């Protein structure tokens, strides 16, 4: 249905409703299907335009249809700070709440696992949060009480079950499944990575290794490299497209940043590719040269726009992955981010829901930059603001009015001394300027290093 309508966002996971309906009604031809569509229309569960939510979420995922109530912050524990453990921190962001802009709940998970990225299941009942160091995956129940998530399950055998994949990173919702990128492996702790599939209940399904020169698995190299590195994953279901990007392995991302920068051998161990996959079969199709460690992938949200963006950490470029007139996917460098010679280190990016603006954060100078992407082949910077001494993640609301920022990149890569600012900040965007609404100092609150954010709401479960 999503493919037929060309809609990428929906109010509820339609396939879940369809499965329930068809279990109770025999599927006898188009008549039953038409009847089911009528029921969906009456129930109001067909794809709809949403008013809020994060723009970078899976198109299969249930969406928030209004103002988000909470922000869940996956936070790294710090030795000597608070309980020293990784934790999920819940912040109340309801404008009418007495607790607006305040931490209302924390759930520690035991130890420090290099907390990094998290993602909801398609029904949004569970939040999967991964540890890059220990390869543990913590599954939080955000359904029973969205204001106070509880730890539901911990997956501790990810490496063994996956066949040696290490460092689960992106946890991304597919229908009834979670697709995870793994950044490394247990053979050499280098950059060879994989895609690993699990059911929503936490059962292992399959591992798909990223193609290399010696093991292309049917993929075609369009350039010089097939390095096997991995980082992020995004999909465009209506184009049967799945894209992955590349970063570096465990030996690098767990190393002190200054030490790594001075290690010539280590600096050569970064990814230079993106891979096009067949979403349905999970087979790699093409390997693109995208030099300089392409990180986050953000795909256009309008159904007529067949392209995605990424930014390269080491070369400070915006790249476009697009479908050409012949239906073939191509890659193209389209813009500089700041002064590439100064290596501002682009990290997270966020696309607005109207495909008109791309936000790009640069860690080293602590800035966020807004790029006009109305012409995706010629992005133009139109805005710039310093968020802090360092900045990493940005989450943009669907209505484009709110942007949340956090500070931590990696435990051993964050800045030292006074520049080691650790915060969550909310800004309102009025179309011309960012205006700060609140800031939480995670060091002062003895919480740790805030990394990634996800939105929560009571309205999803009422």
């Amino acid at each position: 249905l999503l493919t037929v309508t060309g809609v990428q966002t929906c109010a509820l996971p339609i396939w879940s409703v369809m499965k329930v309906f068809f279990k109770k009604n025999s599927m006898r031809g188009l008549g039953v299907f038409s009847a089911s569509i009528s029921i969906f229309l009456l129930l109001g569960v067909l794809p709809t335009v949403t008013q809020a939510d994060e723009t970078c979420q899976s198109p299969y995922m249930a969406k928030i249809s209004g103002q988000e109530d909470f922000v869940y912050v996956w936070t790294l524990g710090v030795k000597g700070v608070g309980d020293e453990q990784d934790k999920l921190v819940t912040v109340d962001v309801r404008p009418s709440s007495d607790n607006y802009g305040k931490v209302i709940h924390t759930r520690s998970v035991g130890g420090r696992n290099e907390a990094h990225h998290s993602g909801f299941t398609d029904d949004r009942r569970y939040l999967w949060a991964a540890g890059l160091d220990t390869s543990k995956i913590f599954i939080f129940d955000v359904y029973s009480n969205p204001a106070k998530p509880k730890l539901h399950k911990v997956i501790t055998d990810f490496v063994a079950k996956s066949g040696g994949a290490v460092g689960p990173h992106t946890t991304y919702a597919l229908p009834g499944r979670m697709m995870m990128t793994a950044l490394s492996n247990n053979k050499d702790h280098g950059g060879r990575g994989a895609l690993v599939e699990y059911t929503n209940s936490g059962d292992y399904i399959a591992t798909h290794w990223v193609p290399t020169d010696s093991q292309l698995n049917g993929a075609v190299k369009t350039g010089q490299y097939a390095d096997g590195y991995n980082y992020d994953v995004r999909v465009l279901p209506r184009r049967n497209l799945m894209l992955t990007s590349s970063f570096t392995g465990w030996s690098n991302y767990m190393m002190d940043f200054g030490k790594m920068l001075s290690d010539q051998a280590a600096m050569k161990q970064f990814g230079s590719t993106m891979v096009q996959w067949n979403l349905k079969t999970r087979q790699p199709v093409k390997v693109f040269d995208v030099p300089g460690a392409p990180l986050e992938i953000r795909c256009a949200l309008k159904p007529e726009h067949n392209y995605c963006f990424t930014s390269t950490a080491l070369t400070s470029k915006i790249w476009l992955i697009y479908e050409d007139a012949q239906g073939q996917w191509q890659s193209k460098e389209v813009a500089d981010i700041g002064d590439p010679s100064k290596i501002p280190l682009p990290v997270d990016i966020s696309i607005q829901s109207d495909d008109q603006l791309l936000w790009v954060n640069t860690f080293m100078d602590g800035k966020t930059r807004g790029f006009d992407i109305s012409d995706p082949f010629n992005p133009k910077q139109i805005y710039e603001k310093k968020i802090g001494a360092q900045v990493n993640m940005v989450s943009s609301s669907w209505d484009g009015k709110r942007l949340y920022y956090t500070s931590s990149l990696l435990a051993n890569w964050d800045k030292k001394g006074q520049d080691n600012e650790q915060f969550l900040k909310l800004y309102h965007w009025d179309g011309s300027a960012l205006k700060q609404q609140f800031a939480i100092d995670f060091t002062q609150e003895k919480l740790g290093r805030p990394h990634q954010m996800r939105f929560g709401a009571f309205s999803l479960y009422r």
Side-chain angles (χ1 to χ4, degrees):
L1 183 60
L2 287 173
T3 303
V4 172
T5 60
V7 177
Q8 292 193 135
T9 56
C10 55
L12 289 173
I14 297 167
W15 45 89
S16 300
V17 181
M18 291 178 74
K19 284 190 292 185
V20 172
F21 177 77
F22 287 134
K23 279 182 180 178
K24 298 180 180 179
N25 299 272
S26 60
M27 291 181 60
R28 292 174 180 162
L30 187 60
V32 173
F33 181 74
S34 298
S36 69
I37 293 297
S38 299
I39 291 174
F40 294 148
L41 286 168
L42 289 171
L43 292 175
V45 298
L46 279 179
T48 60
V49 176
T50 55
Q51 299 172 348
D53 213 354
E54 296 167 272
T55 60
C56 67
Q57 295 297 291
S58 166
Y60 295 110
M61 203 180 76
K63 302 294 180 185
I64 296 171
S65 58
Q67 163 76 42
E68 61 277 4
D69 294 328
F70 311 107
V71 171
Y72 305 125
V73 187
W74 188 218
T75 303
L76 291 79
V78 178
K79 189 175 181 179
V81 176
D83 65 7
E84 303 183 341
Q85 300 178 30
D86 295 348
K87 56 182 61 66
L88 190 67
V89 176
T90 303
V91 177
D92 190 335
V93 295
R94 295 170 292 179
S96 61
S97 172
D98 292 339
N99 293 317
Y100 176 70
K102 297 179 181 178
V103 174
I104 58 171
H105 185 258
T106 66
R107 180 56 171 93
S108 298
V109 299
R112 295 186 294 277
N113 308 270
E114 195 63 46
H116 209 66
H117 279 209
S118 63
F120 294 104
T121 51
D122 58 348
D123 58 10
R124 214 180 182 120
R125 291 180 174 228
Y126 297 95
L127 179 68
W128 288 45
L132 281 181
D133 184 17
T134 63
S135 294
K136 291 181 180 179
I137 299 167
F138 304 91
I139 303 176
F140 294 92
D141 172 4
V142 294
Y143 162 72
S144 299
N145 185 349
K148 296 181 178 180
K150 60 184 179 181
L151 188 58
H152 170 71
K153 182 177 183 178
V154 181
I155 296 174
T156 59
D157 58 358
F158 177 83
V159 179
K161 284 290 180 69
S162 66
V166 166
H169 180 261
T170 303
T171 51
Y172 193 75
L174 298 179
R177 301 185 177 192
M178 292 296 285
M179 180 70 80
M180 287 172 283
T181 57
L183 305 193
S184 193
N185 63 83
N186 66 350
K187 291 182 179 180
D188 62 8
H189 275 183
R192 177 78 194 281
L195 290 166
V196 184
E197 282 188 76
Y198 274 76
T199 66
N200 280 0
S201 59
D203 297 321
Y204 169 78
I205 298 174
T207 301
H208 315 282
W209 291 95
V210 179
T212 62
D213 285 328
S214 61
Q215 198 173 8
L216 284 168
N217 298 330
V220 175
K221 286 173 58 176
T222 63
Q224 181 180 354
Y225 304 104
D227 52 30
Y229 283 38
N230 202 14
Y231 184 76
D232 198 17
V233 61
R234 288 296 183 271
V235 302
L236 282 177
R238 56 192 172 73
R239 307 310 298 161
N240 191 29
L241 173 75
M242 182 164 64
L243 280 177
T244 56
S245 54
S246 56
F247 181 42
T248 192
W250 185 95
S251 296
N252 267 8
Y253 65 67
M254 292 302 297
M255 189 186 302
D256 178 81
F257 190 56
K259 180 180 178 181
M260 187 191 67
L261 289 177
S262 62
D263 187 330
Q264 293 184 359
M267 290 303 294
K268 294 178 181 178
Q269 304 303 313
F270 281 86
S272 297
T273 57
M274 294 183 70
V275 179
Q276 172 195 348
W277 302 73
N278 182 307
L279 174 59
K280 294 177 181 177
T281 66
R282 313 294 200 252
Q283 293 298 309
V285 179
K286 282 185 179 181
V287 182
F288 302 105
D289 279 4
V290 183
L295 299 182
E296 312 294 341
I297 305 169
R298 301 292 179 255
C299 295
L301 294 158
K302 296 291 185 181
E304 67 273 17
H305 292 166
N306 299 322
Y307 52 82
C308 304
F309 291 97
T310 191
S311 64
T312 52
L314 301 183
T315 54
S316 302
K317 307 286 186 181
I318 295 175
W319 280 74
L320 182 70
I321 311 299
Y322 65 97
E323 188 179 42
D324 65 20
Q326 289 71 45
Q328 297 298 310
W329 288 87
Q330 311 292 349
S331 61
K332 182 179 177 62
E333 175 192 318
V334 291
D336 287 337
I337 302 166
D339 182 352
S341 68
K342 296 180 180 178
I343 314 179
L345 194 60
V347 278
D348 197 21
I349 62 176
S350 183
I351 191 171
Q352 281 196 331
S353 59
D354 59 5
D355 296 340
Q356 298 297 299
L357 194 63
L358 183 73
W359 292 97
V360 181
N361 284 358
T362 44
F363 180 78
M364 296 304 291
D365 58 15
K367 292 182 178 180
T368 192
R369 293 172 171 85
F371 284 83
D372 178 346
I373 53 170
S374 54
D375 176 359
F377 289 90
N378 293 285
K380 304 293 183 185
Q381 183 179 321
I382 60 169
Y383 185 77
E384 179 178 311
K385 186 176 183 66
K386 189 175 181 67
I387 302 299
Q390 59 188 12
V391 68
N392 185 27
M393 304 301 291
V394 53
S395 289
S396 177
S397 63
W398 191 268
D399 57 15
K401 295 180 180 179
R402 296 173 300 288
L403 289 109
Y404 296 87
Y405 292 89
T406 51
S407 50
S408 181
L409 179 52
L410 289 158
N412 291 326
W413 288 29
D414 286 353
K415 294 181 179 181
K416 307 294 194 296
Q418 291 184 343
D419 286 341
N420 184 30
E421 295 180 352
Q422 299 296 344
F423 56 77
L424 166 70
K425 294 181 179 181
L426 169 62
Y427 289 82
H428 282 183
W429 172 250
D430 63 8
S432 59
L434 286 172
K435 298 179 180 179
Q436 184 174 313
Q437 303 302 303
F438 68 73
I440 300 174
D441 186 327
F442 269 52
T443 301
Q444 182 177 318
E445 297 290 330
K446 301 186 185 307
L447 296 171
R449 304 173 187 265
H451 189 79
Q452 195 190 47
M453 302 152 284
R454 290 289 178 246
F455 295 175
F458 281 123
S459 60
L460 282 164
Y461 312 115
R462 285 172 178 163

